[in-house]
Amino acid sequence: MARSPTAGGGPGGRAAERAVDLALVELERRFGLGRSLAAPGWVRERVLGVLSAVGERHGVSPLAAAERLHDDREVAEEIAGALRVGETRFYRDPIIWEALVSSVLTRIPPDVPIAGLSAGCSTGEEAYTLGMILASTGRRFSVLGVDRAPAAIDAAREAVYSPEAAEQLPPALVQRYCEQKGGALHVCQKLRDVVSFEVCDLVHAVPSGGFQIIFFKNVLLYLAEPAGDAVARRLAAELGQGGLLFSAASEAPRLCSAGLTPVRVNAHVTAFRAPGS
């Protein structure tokens, strides 16, 4: 079994372990983040990195920085920000987008406006991808993206990305909904008019809905089980009739354990509904 990045046999290693443990307990208390003491190695590494940087700024050890977290919301927010979903791009997990087009949108009556939600949207690529796909069908729609990090929401609203972020996007969507300016990729204004963004901490509240489509991908990874499972159930409760919640494939077992109802979209993709729906 691989050792945790903070593991060590000496006093310094044990102090680092203790610092991370204290920080994770505080993160879970405040934000529902961190999976408490069972957090995976990469989470512990990021937490220790922030504690070490904070300790250097104030001339104290990482353990001392962790011991102050209960009364230092600013540093707790800094650590929570470091754990925000870091990897995002347009058209991530193509099989889900393909299933959406071929097996989900075709079942929604053409006169029904479609409301979509990207829950934990990071810098907006997922929300804009959903907007592009819905716009290309000619349907009436709106998409909301929410994230707890104000900086991520600011970037999403700016809608300027590196060309590499769109490498998986079908060329037809790039040509129709993006513009190249100064070596950067800009989402066109007509799409920005129907894709909106809000700061929202899902642990404390979820957007009210009637959503036909919710994307809730790679967020549970950051949430302790009681908080994360509650968020999933609250999101599923905001689905409209026939609506579906999409997660990363690795998160499906946990959503089943949380009581959500799995729905086989096609041979490769499973989505979810509220319990009993």
Side-chain angles (χ1 to χ4, degrees), residues 131-201:
M132 291 176 193
I133 287 174
L134 294 176
S136 68
T137 68
R139 306 286 295 263
R140 287 182 295 153
F141 74 93
S142 62
V143 173
L144 172 64
V146 298
D147 196 278
R148 71 175 306 278
I153 293 300
D154 288 344
R157 289 171 175 160
E158 187 177 5
V160 179
Y161 303 93
S162 69
E164 291 76 20
E167 286 179 345
Q168 288 187 296
L169 259 180
L173 295 181
V174 176
Q175 293 169 9
R176 191 169 181 180
Y177 300 109
C178 302
E179 302 170 354
Q180 296 280 352
K181 297 179 183 178
L185 192 76
H186 295 242
V187 176
C188 68
Q189 187 62 49
K190 64 181 178 181
L191 194 66
R192 294 171 64 185
D193 288 341
V194 285
V195 180
S196 60
F197 296 93
E198 295 177 3
V199 175
C200 175
D201 188 339

